[in-house]
Amino acid sequence: MSTLGFQRLKVVALAASDLARARRFYGETLALPPAFEGKRQVGYTLGNVIVMLKSVPDGWYARPSTELNPRITVATDHAPDTERELVARGVTIADPVRPYPEEGFYVGSFLDSEGNKLWFCSPADAPT
């Protein structure tokens, strides 16, 4: 544990131009379970992290982005299988899965409904 008391990453907030569309994407297309703080749904659960969707009012500085600010990477069982399933669900693949044999992993990325780029990776020796 950090001497500052830091424990883990709890929330990743993503900008959403259309909050209803973003909720359908994360809740239905990606099938992430809802995340709650008390009785209020605050986002979607991805492992131990909450993906929180923040509406982007006109004039607000944050916009959906494919830029690396921050780069969010999701661990998967097998990235090539994940890519196939994302494509089957109509998700846009931004960077097709590539093997990195020297490092021992696969990596690819997709765009969410708002245009935010999310990366995913898995060990290269994961079963197919």
Side-chain angles (χ1 to χ4, degrees), residues 55-63:
S55 182
V56 179
D58 286 336
W60 199 48
Y61 70 93
R63 296 274 180 249

Side-chain angles (χ1 to χ4, degrees), residues 7-102:
Q7 298 174 347
R8 63 180 174 87
L9 185 62
K10 180 176 180 176
V11 174
V12 171
L14 294 174
S17 299
D18 183 329
L19 200 51
R21 177 179 61 203
R23 286 179 178 147
R24 282 191 307 275
F25 181 83
Y26 284 91
E28 296 172 19
T29 303
L30 297 186
L32 297 180
F36 292 90
E37 290 289 328
K39 294 183 179 186
R40 184 172 163 255
Q41 183 178 349
V42 295
Y44 298 89
T45 302
L46 182 59
N48 291 327
V49 176
I50 295 171
V51 177
M52 186 180 288
L53 304 169
K54 302 300 281 180
S55 182
V56 179
D58 286 336
W60 199 48
Y61 70 93
R63 296 274 180 249
S65 176
T66 60
E67 299 301 316
L68 299 178
N69 187 19
R71 179 174 173 160
I72 299 168
T73 304
V74 178
T76 67
D77 292 330
H78 188 248
D81 290 345
T82 300
E83 179 179 61
R84 281 190 286 280
E85 184 61 30
L86 288 169
V87 168
R89 294 176 185 211
V91 175
T92 300
I93 300 300
D95 296 280
V97 169
R98 265 184 59 192
Y100 291 84
E102 307 81 35

